[in-house]
Amino acid sequence: MSDPRVTVYSRANCPLCTEALETVRDVAADVPPDVDVEVVDVDDDPDLRDRYGDRVPCVAVDGRLVAEVRVDPAELRRRLAG
């Protein structure tokens, strides 16, 4: 099985996005196995901008949305462990 992939959908100059990314990186550093964290700026893609709009940050684990706006570290750990 491959390592989990976490995608953080965000945008520039978004304090909540910065906070979410810090939480994701902190959790990713704590849980085995290695976690690949990818940051995607929704404003770089019209389809993503339409899909996520003002809901950013959004966090997906292996393509499944697990958080919007706020990231619960305990829930993210659980998702990465499962």
Short mmCIF file of all heavy atoms in Angstrom, two decimals, residues 2-61:
data_model
loop_
_atom_site.label_atom_id
_atom_site.label_comp_id
_atom_site.label_asym_id
_atom_site.label_seq_id
_atom_site.Cartn_x
_atom_site.Cartn_y
_atom_site.Cartn_z
N SER A 2 0.49 2.27 -0.71
CA SER A 2 1.30 3.47 -0.81
C SER A 2 1.05 4.40 0.38
O SER A 2 0.06 4.28 1.09
CB SER A 2 1.00 4.20 -2.12
OG SER A 2 -0.34 4.61 -2.14
N ASP A 3 1.99 5.31 0.57
CA ASP A 3 1.87 6.29 1.64
C ASP A 3 0.67 7.18 1.37
O ASP A 3 0.33 7.47 0.23
CB ASP A 3 3.13 7.15 1.72
CG ASP A 3 4.36 6.34 2.11
OD1 ASP A 3 4.20 5.29 2.76
OD2 ASP A 3 5.46 6.76 1.76
N PRO A 4 0.01 7.65 2.45
CA PRO A 4 -1.14 8.53 2.25
C PRO A 4 -0.73 9.86 1.62
O PRO A 4 0.37 10.36 1.84
CB PRO A 4 -1.69 8.76 3.66
CG PRO A 4 -0.77 8.11 4.61
CD PRO A 4 0.28 7.39 3.84
N ARG A 5 -1.64 10.41 0.84
CA ARG A 5 -1.42 11.71 0.20
C ARG A 5 -2.45 12.68 0.75
O ARG A 5 -3.65 12.41 0.71
CB ARG A 5 -1.55 11.60 -1.30
CG ARG A 5 -1.51 12.96 -1.97
CD ARG A 5 -1.66 12.86 -3.49
NE ARG A 5 -0.70 13.77 -4.05
CZ ARG A 5 0.46 13.44 -4.57
NH1 ARG A 5 0.82 12.21 -4.66
NH2 ARG A 5 1.28 14.36 -5.03
N VAL A 6 -1.96 13.79 1.28
CA VAL A 6 -2.83 14.84 1.79
C VAL A 6 -2.73 16.03 0.84
O VAL A 6 -1.64 16.49 0.53
CB VAL A 6 -2.44 15.27 3.22
CG1 VAL A 6 -3.32 16.41 3.70
CG2 VAL A 6 -2.52 14.09 4.18
N THR A 7 -3.88 16.50 0.39
CA THR A 7 -3.93 17.67 -0.48
C THR A 7 -4.62 18.79 0.28
O THR A 7 -5.72 18.59 0.81
CB THR A 7 -4.70 17.37 -1.78
OG1 THR A 7 -4.12 16.21 -2.40
CG2 THR A 7 -4.64 18.56 -2.72
N VAL A 8 -3.94 19.93 0.35
CA VAL A 8 -4.51 21.12 0.98
C VAL A 8 -4.87 22.09 -0.13
O VAL A 8 -4.00 22.59 -0.84
CB VAL A 8 -3.52 21.77 1.97
CG1 VAL A 8 -4.14 23.01 2.62
CG2 VAL A 8 -3.07 20.77 3.03
N TYR A 9 -6.16 22.31 -0.30
CA TYR A 9 -6.64 23.28 -1.28
C TYR A 9 -6.71 24.63 -0.59
O TYR A 9 -7.37 24.78 0.45
CB TYR A 9 -8.02 22.88 -1.81
CG TYR A 9 -7.97 21.58 -2.57
CD1 TYR A 9 -8.28 20.38 -1.96
CD2 TYR A 9 -7.60 21.57 -3.91
CE1 TYR A 9 -8.23 19.19 -2.65
CE2 TYR A 9 -7.53 20.37 -4.61
CZ TYR A 9 -7.85 19.19 -3.98
OH TYR A 9 -7.78 18.00 -4.67
N SER A 10 -5.98 25.60 -1.13
CA SER A 10 -5.86 26.89 -0.45
C SER A 10 -5.76 28.01 -1.47
O SER A 10 -5.93 27.79 -2.66
CB SER A 10 -4.62 26.89 0.44
OG SER A 10 -3.44 26.82 -0.34
N ARG A 11 -5.48 29.20 -0.96
CA ARG A 11 -5.21 30.34 -1.84
C ARG A 11 -4.24 31.25 -1.12
O ARG A 11 -4.05 31.17 0.10
CB ARG A 11 -6.50 31.07 -2.23
CG ARG A 11 -7.27 31.68 -1.11
CD ARG A 11 -8.46 32.55 -1.57
NE ARG A 11 -9.09 32.13 -2.80
CZ ARG A 11 -10.24 31.45 -2.89
NH1 ARG A 11 -10.89 31.15 -1.80
NH2 ARG A 11 -10.71 31.11 -4.06
N ALA A 12 -3.62 32.13 -1.89
CA ALA A 12 -2.65 33.07 -1.33
C ALA A 12 -3.35 34.05 -0.40
O ALA A 12 -4.54 34.34 -0.55
CB ALA A 12 -1.96 33.83 -2.46
N ASN A 13 -2.60 34.55 0.56
CA ASN A 13 -3.09 35.56 1.51
C ASN A 13 -4.32 35.11 2.26
O ASN A 13 -5.24 35.89 2.49
CB ASN A 13 -3.36 36.89 0.78
CG ASN A 13 -2.12 37.41 0.10
OD1 ASN A 13 -1.03 37.41 0.68
ND2 ASN A 13 -2.26 37.81 -1.15
N CYS A 14 -4.33 33.86 2.67
CA CYS A 14 -5.45 33.26 3.41
C CYS A 14 -4.93 32.77 4.75
O CYS A 14 -4.29 31.71 4.81
CB CYS A 14 -6.04 32.12 2.59
SG CYS A 14 -7.24 31.10 3.47
N PRO A 15 -5.17 33.52 5.83
CA PRO A 15 -4.68 33.09 7.14
C PRO A 15 -5.19 31.72 7.57
O PRO A 15 -4.44 30.94 8.18
CB PRO A 15 -5.17 34.18 8.08
CG PRO A 15 -5.40 35.37 7.22
CD PRO A 15 -5.82 34.82 5.88
N LEU A 16 -6.43 31.39 7.27
CA LEU A 16 -6.95 30.07 7.62
C LEU A 16 -6.22 28.97 6.85
O LEU A 16 -6.01 27.88 7.37
CB LEU A 16 -8.45 29.98 7.36
CG LEU A 16 -9.34 30.77 8.31
CD1 LEU A 16 -10.79 30.70 7.84
CD2 LEU A 16 -9.22 30.26 9.73
N CYS A 17 -5.84 29.28 5.62
CA CYS A 17 -5.09 28.31 4.81
C CYS A 17 -3.71 28.05 5.42
O CYS A 17 -3.25 26.92 5.50
CB CYS A 17 -4.95 28.80 3.37
SG CYS A 17 -6.53 29.00 2.52
N THR A 18 -3.07 29.12 5.87
CA THR A 18 -1.76 28.99 6.51
C THR A 18 -1.88 28.15 7.77
O THR A 18 -1.06 27.25 8.01
CB THR A 18 -1.20 30.39 6.84
OG1 THR A 18 -1.08 31.13 5.63
CG2 THR A 18 0.16 30.29 7.52
N GLU A 19 -2.90 28.42 8.56
CA GLU A 19 -3.14 27.66 9.79
C GLU A 19 -3.41 26.19 9.48
O GLU A 19 -2.86 25.29 10.15
CB GLU A 19 -4.33 28.27 10.53
CG GLU A 19 -4.68 27.57 11.81
CD GLU A 19 -5.91 28.21 12.46
OE1 GLU A 19 -5.99 29.45 12.54
OE2 GLU A 19 -6.79 27.44 12.89
N ALA A 20 -4.24 25.92 8.49
CA ALA A 20 -4.55 24.53 8.12
C ALA A 20 -3.30 23.79 7.65
O ALA A 20 -3.08 22.64 8.04
CB ALA A 20 -5.62 24.51 7.03
N LEU A 21 -2.49 24.45 6.85
CA LEU A 21 -1.27 23.81 6.35
C LEU A 21 -0.31 23.50 7.49
O LEU A 21 0.30 22.42 7.52
CB LEU A 21 -0.60 24.68 5.30
CG LEU A 21 0.63 24.09 4.63
CD1 LEU A 21 0.32 22.74 3.98
CD2 LEU A 21 1.18 25.06 3.60
N GLU A 22 -0.19 24.39 8.45
CA GLU A 22 0.66 24.13 9.61
C GLU A 22 0.15 22.92 10.39
O GLU A 22 0.93 22.05 10.80
CB GLU A 22 0.71 25.35 10.53
CG GLU A 22 1.52 26.49 9.97
CD GLU A 22 1.44 27.75 10.83
OE1 GLU A 22 0.87 27.71 11.95
OE2 GLU A 22 1.96 28.79 10.38
N THR A 23 -1.16 22.84 10.58
CA THR A 23 -1.75 21.70 11.29
C THR A 23 -1.49 20.41 10.53
O THR A 23 -1.08 19.40 11.12
CB THR A 23 -3.27 21.90 11.48
OG1 THR A 23 -3.48 23.09 12.25
CG2 THR A 23 -3.90 20.72 12.19
N VAL A 24 -1.71 20.43 9.22
CA VAL A 24 -1.49 19.23 8.40
C VAL A 24 -0.03 18.80 8.50
O VAL A 24 0.27 17.62 8.69
CB VAL A 24 -1.90 19.49 6.94
CG1 VAL A 24 -1.37 18.40 6.02
CG2 VAL A 24 -3.41 19.62 6.83
N ARG A 25 0.89 19.73 8.38
CA ARG A 25 2.32 19.37 8.44
C ARG A 25 2.71 18.85 9.82
O ARG A 25 3.51 17.91 9.91
CB ARG A 25 3.18 20.56 8.02
CG ARG A 25 3.10 20.80 6.53
CD ARG A 25 3.99 21.91 6.07
NE ARG A 25 4.01 21.98 4.60
CZ ARG A 25 4.21 23.06 3.91
NH1 ARG A 25 4.43 24.22 4.52
NH2 ARG A 25 4.21 23.02 2.59
N ASP A 26 2.17 19.43 10.88
CA ASP A 26 2.45 18.95 12.23
C ASP A 26 1.96 17.52 12.41
O ASP A 26 2.67 16.67 12.94
CB ASP A 26 1.81 19.85 13.29
CG ASP A 26 2.50 21.20 13.44
OD1 ASP A 26 3.63 21.36 12.93
OD2 ASP A 26 1.90 22.09 14.08
N VAL A 27 0.73 17.26 11.99
CA VAL A 27 0.16 15.91 12.11
C VAL A 27 0.94 14.94 11.23
O VAL A 27 1.28 13.83 11.67
CB VAL A 27 -1.34 15.91 11.75
CG1 VAL A 27 -1.87 14.49 11.64
CG2 VAL A 27 -2.13 16.71 12.78
N ALA A 28 1.26 15.33 10.01
CA ALA A 28 1.98 14.46 9.09
C ALA A 28 3.35 14.06 9.64
O ALA A 28 3.80 12.94 9.43
CB ALA A 28 2.13 15.13 7.73
N ALA A 29 3.98 14.96 10.36
CA ALA A 29 5.29 14.67 10.94
C ALA A 29 5.19 13.69 12.09
O ALA A 29 6.18 13.03 12.44
CB ALA A 29 5.94 15.97 11.41
N ASP A 30 4.00 13.57 12.68
CA ASP A 30 3.79 12.72 13.86
C ASP A 30 3.32 11.31 13.56
O ASP A 30 3.40 10.45 14.43
CB ASP A 30 2.73 13.35 14.76
CG ASP A 30 3.33 14.26 15.81
OD1 ASP A 30 4.56 14.32 15.91
OD2 ASP A 30 2.54 14.90 16.53
N VAL A 31 2.77 11.09 12.38
CA VAL A 31 2.15 9.79 12.12
C VAL A 31 2.95 9.00 11.09
O VAL A 31 3.34 9.54 10.07
CB VAL A 31 0.69 9.94 11.62
CG1 VAL A 31 -0.19 10.52 12.68
CG2 VAL A 31 0.61 10.73 10.35
N PRO A 32 3.21 7.73 11.41
CA PRO A 32 3.80 6.89 10.38
C PRO A 32 2.68 6.39 9.48
O PRO A 32 1.54 6.33 9.92
CB PRO A 32 4.43 5.75 11.16
CG PRO A 32 3.72 5.73 12.47
CD PRO A 32 3.13 7.09 12.68
N PRO A 33 2.89 6.00 8.30
CA PRO A 33 4.13 6.12 7.54
C PRO A 33 4.31 7.54 7.02
O PRO A 33 3.60 8.45 7.45
CB PRO A 33 3.90 5.15 6.39
CG PRO A 33 2.42 5.22 6.15
CD PRO A 33 1.81 5.42 7.53
N ASP A 34 5.23 7.68 6.08
CA ASP A 34 5.44 8.99 5.47
C ASP A 34 4.15 9.48 4.84
O ASP A 34 3.41 8.71 4.25
CB ASP A 34 6.52 8.93 4.40
CG ASP A 34 7.90 8.67 4.99
OD1 ASP A 34 8.12 9.05 6.16
OD2 ASP A 34 8.74 8.11 4.28
N VAL A 35 3.91 10.78 4.97
CA VAL A 35 2.72 11.39 4.39
C VAL A 35 3.17 12.41 3.36
O VAL A 35 3.99 13.28 3.67
CB VAL A 35 1.86 12.06 5.48
CG1 VAL A 35 0.67 12.77 4.85
CG2 VAL A 35 1.42 11.05 6.53
N ASP A 36 2.65 12.29 2.16
CA ASP A 36 2.95 13.25 1.10
C ASP A 36 1.93 14.37 1.20
O ASP A 36 0.73 14.13 1.11
CB ASP A 36 2.87 12.55 -0.25
CG ASP A 36 3.22 13.46 -1.40
OD1 ASP A 36 3.91 14.47 -1.19
OD2 ASP A 36 2.80 13.15 -2.54
N VAL A 37 2.40 15.61 1.43
CA VAL A 37 1.52 16.77 1.53
C VAL A 37 1.70 17.63 0.28
O VAL A 37 2.80 18.05 -0.04
CB VAL A 37 1.84 17.61 2.79
CG1 VAL A 37 0.95 18.84 2.85
CG2 VAL A 37 1.68 16.77 4.05
N GLU A 38 0.59 17.85 -0.39
CA GLU A 38 0.58 18.68 -1.60
C GLU A 38 -0.31 19.89 -1.33
O GLU A 38 -1.39 19.77 -0.77
CB GLU A 38 0.01 17.88 -2.77
CG GLU A 38 -0.14 18.67 -4.04
CD GLU A 38 -0.83 17.89 -5.15
OE1 GLU A 38 -1.53 16.90 -4.86
OE2 GLU A 38 -0.68 18.31 -6.31
N VAL A 39 0.16 21.07 -1.75
CA VAL A 39 -0.62 22.29 -1.62
C VAL A 39 -1.06 22.72 -3.01
O VAL A 39 -0.24 22.82 -3.92
CB VAL A 39 0.20 23.41 -0.95
CG1 VAL A 39 -0.63 24.68 -0.83
CG2 VAL A 39 0.71 22.96 0.41
N VAL A 40 -2.36 22.95 -3.17
CA VAL A 40 -2.92 23.35 -4.46
C VAL A 40 -3.61 24.70 -4.28
O VAL A 40 -4.51 24.82 -3.45
CB VAL A 40 -3.93 22.30 -4.98
CG1 VAL A 40 -4.58 22.78 -6.26
CG2 VAL A 40 -3.25 20.96 -5.17
N ASP A 41 -3.17 25.68 -5.04
CA ASP A 41 -3.81 27.00 -5.01
C ASP A 41 -5.03 26.95 -5.93
O ASP A 41 -4.88 26.81 -7.15
CB ASP A 41 -2.83 28.08 -5.48
CG ASP A 41 -3.36 29.48 -5.31
OD1 ASP A 41 -4.59 29.69 -5.41
OD2 ASP A 41 -2.55 30.40 -5.09
N VAL A 42 -6.21 27.06 -5.36
CA VAL A 42 -7.44 26.93 -6.15
C VAL A 42 -7.58 28.05 -7.18
O VAL A 42 -8.29 27.88 -8.17
CB VAL A 42 -8.70 26.84 -5.27
CG1 VAL A 42 -8.64 25.62 -4.38
CG2 VAL A 42 -8.92 28.10 -4.47
N ASP A 43 -6.93 29.17 -6.94
CA ASP A 43 -7.05 30.29 -7.87
C ASP A 43 -6.25 30.07 -9.15
O ASP A 43 -6.40 30.82 -10.10
CB ASP A 43 -6.63 31.60 -7.19
CG ASP A 43 -7.62 32.00 -6.12
OD1 ASP A 43 -8.83 31.75 -6.28
OD2 ASP A 43 -7.19 32.57 -5.09
N ASP A 44 -5.40 29.03 -9.17
CA ASP A 44 -4.63 28.71 -10.37
C ASP A 44 -5.44 27.89 -11.37
O ASP A 44 -4.98 27.67 -12.50
CB ASP A 44 -3.36 27.93 -10.01
CG ASP A 44 -2.33 28.81 -9.31
OD1 ASP A 44 -2.44 30.05 -9.39
OD2 ASP A 44 -1.42 28.23 -8.66
N ASP A 45 -6.61 27.42 -10.97
CA ASP A 45 -7.41 26.56 -11.82
C ASP A 45 -8.88 26.97 -11.71
O ASP A 45 -9.46 26.86 -10.63
CB ASP A 45 -7.23 25.11 -11.37
CG ASP A 45 -8.00 24.11 -12.20
OD1 ASP A 45 -9.16 24.38 -12.58
OD2 ASP A 45 -7.46 23.02 -12.45
N PRO A 46 -9.48 27.45 -12.80
CA PRO A 46 -10.87 27.91 -12.74
C PRO A 46 -11.85 26.85 -12.21
O PRO A 46 -12.78 27.18 -11.49
CB PRO A 46 -11.21 28.28 -14.19
CG PRO A 46 -9.89 28.52 -14.84
CD PRO A 46 -8.91 27.63 -14.14
N ASP A 47 -11.63 25.59 -12.56
CA ASP A 47 -12.52 24.53 -12.08
C ASP A 47 -12.42 24.38 -10.56
O ASP A 47 -13.44 24.23 -9.87
CB ASP A 47 -12.21 23.20 -12.75
CG ASP A 47 -12.58 23.19 -14.22
OD1 ASP A 47 -13.50 23.95 -14.61
OD2 ASP A 47 -11.95 22.42 -14.98
N LEU A 48 -11.19 24.41 -10.03
CA LEU A 48 -11.01 24.31 -8.58
C LEU A 48 -11.55 25.54 -7.87
O LEU A 48 -12.16 25.44 -6.81
CB LEU A 48 -9.54 24.10 -8.23
CG LEU A 48 -8.94 22.76 -8.63
CD1 LEU A 48 -7.46 22.71 -8.30
CD2 LEU A 48 -9.69 21.61 -7.97
N ARG A 49 -11.36 26.69 -8.48
CA ARG A 49 -11.88 27.94 -7.89
C ARG A 49 -13.40 27.87 -7.80
O ARG A 49 -13.99 28.22 -6.78
CB ARG A 49 -11.43 29.15 -8.70
CG ARG A 49 -11.80 30.47 -8.04
CD ARG A 49 -11.22 31.68 -8.76
NE ARG A 49 -11.45 31.65 -10.20
CZ ARG A 49 -10.49 31.57 -11.13
NH1 ARG A 49 -9.22 31.56 -10.78
NH2 ARG A 49 -10.79 31.55 -12.41
N ASP A 50 -14.04 27.34 -8.85
CA ASP A 50 -15.49 27.19 -8.82
C ASP A 50 -15.93 26.14 -7.80
O ASP A 50 -16.94 26.33 -7.11
CB ASP A 50 -16.02 26.78 -10.20
CG ASP A 50 -15.95 27.91 -11.22
OD1 ASP A 50 -15.77 29.09 -10.82
OD2 ASP A 50 -16.05 27.61 -12.43
N ARG A 51 -15.19 25.06 -7.70
CA ARG A 51 -15.56 23.98 -6.79
C ARG A 51 -15.40 24.38 -5.33
O ARG A 51 -16.27 24.10 -4.51
CB ARG A 51 -14.69 22.75 -7.05
CG ARG A 51 -14.98 21.63 -6.05
CD ARG A 51 -14.01 20.51 -6.16
NE ARG A 51 -14.37 19.68 -7.31
CZ ARG A 51 -13.61 18.70 -7.76
NH1 ARG A 51 -12.46 18.45 -7.21
NH2 ARG A 51 -14.01 17.99 -8.79
N TYR A 52 -14.29 25.02 -4.99
CA TYR A 52 -13.99 25.30 -3.58
C TYR A 52 -14.33 26.72 -3.15
O TYR A 52 -14.60 26.95 -1.97
CB TYR A 52 -12.53 24.98 -3.27
CG TYR A 52 -12.26 23.51 -3.37
CD1 TYR A 52 -11.56 22.97 -4.44
CD2 TYR A 52 -12.75 22.64 -2.42
CE1 TYR A 52 -11.34 21.61 -4.56
CE2 TYR A 52 -12.54 21.27 -2.51
CZ TYR A 52 -11.83 20.77 -3.58
OH TYR A 52 -11.63 19.42 -3.69
N GLY A 53 -14.33 27.67 -4.09
CA GLY A 53 -14.74 29.03 -3.78
C GLY A 53 -14.20 29.56 -2.46
O GLY A 53 -13.00 29.55 -2.22
N ASP A 54 -15.11 29.97 -1.59
CA ASP A 54 -14.73 30.52 -0.28
C ASP A 54 -14.65 29.44 0.79
O ASP A 54 -14.51 29.77 1.97
CB ASP A 54 -15.73 31.60 0.14
CG ASP A 54 -15.63 32.83 -0.73
OD1 ASP A 54 -14.53 33.10 -1.27
OD2 ASP A 54 -16.65 33.53 -0.89
N ARG A 55 -14.73 28.18 0.42
CA ARG A 55 -14.67 27.09 1.41
C ARG A 55 -13.25 26.74 1.81
O ARG A 55 -13.06 25.89 2.68
CB ARG A 55 -15.35 25.85 0.84
CG ARG A 55 -16.83 26.03 0.66
CD ARG A 55 -17.52 24.83 0.04
NE ARG A 55 -16.77 23.59 0.10
CZ ARG A 55 -16.79 22.68 -0.86
NH1 ARG A 55 -17.51 22.88 -1.95
NH2 ARG A 55 -16.11 21.57 -0.74
N VAL A 56 -12.27 27.35 1.18
CA VAL A 56 -10.88 27.01 1.51
C VAL A 56 -10.53 27.52 2.90
O VAL A 56 -11.10 28.52 3.34
CB VAL A 56 -9.89 27.56 0.46
CG1 VAL A 56 -10.09 26.90 -0.87
CG2 VAL A 56 -9.94 29.05 0.36
N PRO A 57 -9.62 26.85 3.56
CA PRO A 57 -8.91 25.66 3.09
C PRO A 57 -9.78 24.41 3.15
O PRO A 57 -10.65 24.28 4.01
CB PRO A 57 -7.75 25.55 4.07
CG PRO A 57 -8.28 26.15 5.33
CD PRO A 57 -9.19 27.26 4.89
N CYS A 58 -9.52 23.53 2.23
CA CYS A 58 -10.11 22.19 2.24
C CYS A 58 -8.95 21.19 2.24
O CYS A 58 -7.93 21.44 1.60
CB CYS A 58 -10.98 21.97 1.01
SG CYS A 58 -12.52 22.88 1.03
N VAL A 59 -9.15 20.11 2.96
CA VAL A 59 -8.10 19.10 3.07
C VAL A 59 -8.67 17.76 2.64
O VAL A 59 -9.75 17.36 3.10
CB VAL A 59 -7.56 19.01 4.51
CG1 VAL A 59 -6.51 17.90 4.64
CG2 VAL A 59 -6.97 20.35 4.94
N ALA A 60 -7.95 17.10 1.76
CA ALA A 60 -8.34 15.77 1.28
C ALA A 60 -7.24 14.78 1.61
O ALA A 60 -6.05 15.10 1.54
CB ALA A 60 -8.59 15.80 -0.22
N VAL A 61 -7.65 13.58 1.99
CA VAL A 61 -6.72 12.47 2.20
C VAL A 61 -7.01 11.44 1.12
O VAL A 61 -8.15 10.94 1.02
CB VAL A 61 -6.87 11.86 3.60
CG1 VAL A 61 -5.99 10.62 3.74
CG2 VAL A 61 -6.54 12.88 4.68
#
